[in-house]
Amino acid sequence: MAKLAERYGERCGGPVIVAGFVVGLGIVQLASGPLAQTSRFSLELLILLVLQLVGPMMVALFALALLLPRWIQRLQVVGDAYRVERLAAAGLAGALLQLLFLAAAMCGGVLGTPRSDLVGEFRDLLYGVLLPDVARSCLRAGVFLAAMSGWCQWRSRRALLRGQDPGLLVSDQLAEGFLLLLSLKLLWISVIDPLHLSASPQ
């Protein structure tokens, strides 16, 4: 399982790091530039978005797009979609990729701030990141990717047995995986771990 998760990470690590850096840089520059927010607020907004809203979803979606062709190719050779270690490896890879995404987003965000003291800015940002929030975010990413892995491999195996073209199968499973991801995200933030946003004082 660890070796399989490592292969998943090697396949997805580079794009996830680039995406995290771009997201961090873009959010902070947007907030501190056109929106005229302070540097501190921009970084707090970045952490909120990466940990609570978009981070796990983006990681799972990138991994699905990169790993789905390999899953389908494996099914064509082996024909087994139900090995538990594949789902566990996907979950482990999703959690580790979320850590990479967070680290890259933090680096991009710090570089995007107008302050010149980058070391102090990064230190202040680290103080604002809570380990329970990071753990929940990694858990979310792992659950999302493992669920999509199981669903897409189960659906792909059935489609291959019916003789469906593998090229069309990839696009179909990408669409189904994205819809499943949205459903899981909605379930998570509404039932499992609801968002708590405090109202602004009047």
Side-chain angles (χ1 to χ4, degrees):
M1 183 193 74
K3 290 183 179 180
L4 187 57
E6 182 181 4
R7 289 199 294 269
Y8 289 168
E10 290 174 353
R11 172 67 175 163
C12 304
V16 165
I17 291 174
V18 173
F21 185 86
V22 171
V23 167
L25 184 64
I27 290 175
V28 170
Q29 286 194 340
L30 175 64
S32 60
L35 299 181
Q37 298 296 327
T38 64
S39 174
R40 183 178 183 84
F41 177 84
S42 302
L43 292 174
E44 289 176 353
L45 176 63
L46 169 64
I47 294 302
L48 174 65
L49 292 176
V50 170
L51 292 182
Q52 299 290 335
L53 296 175
V54 301
M57 286 188 64
M58 288 191 66
V59 166
L61 193 58
F62 266 101
L64 174 66
L66 292 168
L67 296 176
L68 182 58
R70 290 193 172 187
W71 290 339
I72 293 178
Q73 183 182 31
R74 181 70 176 173
L75 288 173
Q76 289 178 290
V77 175
V78 180
D80 179 13
Y82 305 107
R83 293 179 61 184
V84 177
E85 56 264 31
R86 289 190 209 164
L87 306 186
L92 178 59
L96 296 177
L97 288 172
Q98 172 62 15
L99 283 178
L100 288 178
F101 186 87
L102 173 62
M106 291 171 60
C107 291
V110 169
L111 291 177
T113 59
R115 284 178 55 181
S116 58
D117 184 13
L118 297 182
V119 176
E121 193 79 75
F122 193 79
R123 184 172 57 248
D124 294 341
L125 179 59
L126 284 178
Y127 288 149
V129 178
L130 301 179
L131 290 180
D133 292 338
V134 175
R136 284 196 297 269
S137 178
C138 293
L139 176 63
R140 248 191 325 267
V143 170
F144 289 169
L145 186 56
M148 288 194 300
S149 172
W151 172 266
C152 291
Q153 292 186 64
W154 173 65
R155 292 280 293 163
S156 298
R157 182 175 182 271
R158 296 184 63 186
L160 288 172
L161 291 175
R162 295 196 303 268
Q164 185 173 345
D165 179 66
L168 294 176
L169 183 57
V170 170
S171 61
D172 289 345
Q173 291 312 304
L174 278 175
E176 290 187 13
F178 181 65
L179 292 176
L180 177 62
L181 177 60
L182 291 178
S183 301
L184 289 172
K185 178 63 176 179
L186 179 61
L187 176 66
W188 195 285
I189 64 175
S190 60
V191 177
I192 301 175
D193 187 16
L195 291 175
H196 299 287
L197 299 178
S198 58
S200 303
Q202 298 295 328

